[in-house]
Amino acid sequence: MSTATDTRVKELADLFVRFLETNTAPEGLFTDDVFLDLTLPQWRLQARGREEIVALRRRSHPVLGTVPRHRVDATPTGFVLEFEESWEDGQGTWYCRELMRADVRDGRIAEAAVYCTGDWDQATRAAHAREVVLLRP
């Protein structure tokens, strides 16, 4: 894997956030043969290629939302992106936290592993707020 510059890492993180918020992969984000390994609390999914990754995203998050917070850190082969997502659907407001390790090749994401907390509904967030005092948001 080739190394990515800090500037390109920031650009790729911003493009990935746009992907999450639009369910459309911006030009220059993924290599043609990109591989995704998505781990959920009790499930694991994989996809290869831009079209398959976009289709997986649209199936798992058909309703658009926002990424209110994210942080990116460069690694020797790409970057790590920590992010949160929020969205609303007919059942209410949802939230999740995720971490992605991405390998970059030729300035694009070539491989990514995403670890997701799973989707927290309003009841889960309320129970968490009653039982846990976070030191940081």
Side-chain angles (χ1 to χ4, degrees):
M1 296 289 166
S2 62
T3 59
T5 66
D6 287 345
T7 300
R8 186 59 182 154
V9 163
K10 170 84 169 80
E11 291 169 352
L12 286 171
D14 291 345
L15 288 173
F16 191 79
V17 167
R18 187 180 331 150
F19 167 61
L20 296 173
E21 293 181 333
T22 65
N23 283 357
T24 302
E27 189 61 39
L29 177 59
F30 297 125
T31 61
D32 290 338
D33 62 343
V34 61
F35 175 76
L36 173 70
D37 191 355
L38 172 63
T39 301
L40 302 164
Q42 297 182 340
W43 212 246
R44 188 172 175 198
L45 304 168
Q46 294 180 338
R48 181 175 304 281
R50 277 190 305 246
E51 293 79 17
E52 285 187 29
I53 289 175
V54 170
L56 174 61
R57 172 67 185 177
R58 289 177 180 171
R59 281 192 308 273
S60 63
H61 280 266
V63 176
L64 299 181
T66 62
V67 177
R69 226 184 322 241
H70 72 279
R71 172 186 166 163
V72 63
D73 294 305
T75 68
T77 59
F79 61 93
V80 173
L81 180 65
E82 177 184 17
F83 55 99
E84 298 176 8
E85 292 188 76
S86 297
W87 66 99
E88 282 190 42
D89 66 10
Q91 298 176 353
T93 303
W94 298 84
Y95 166 86
C96 69
R97 289 176 50 91
E98 297 167 85
L99 190 67
M100 176 176 75
R101 182 213 30 86
D103 290 330
V104 175
R105 184 178 72 232
D106 299 328
R108 297 175 183 221
I109 296 173
E111 187 168 315
V114 177
Y115 299 87
C116 179
T117 61
D119 302 342
W120 291 17
D121 62 10
Q122 184 61 40
T124 302
R125 289 194 326 277
H128 184 265
R130 283 191 308 273
E131 297 177 29
V132 177
V133 175
L134 295 176
L135 301 176
R136 294 181 181 173

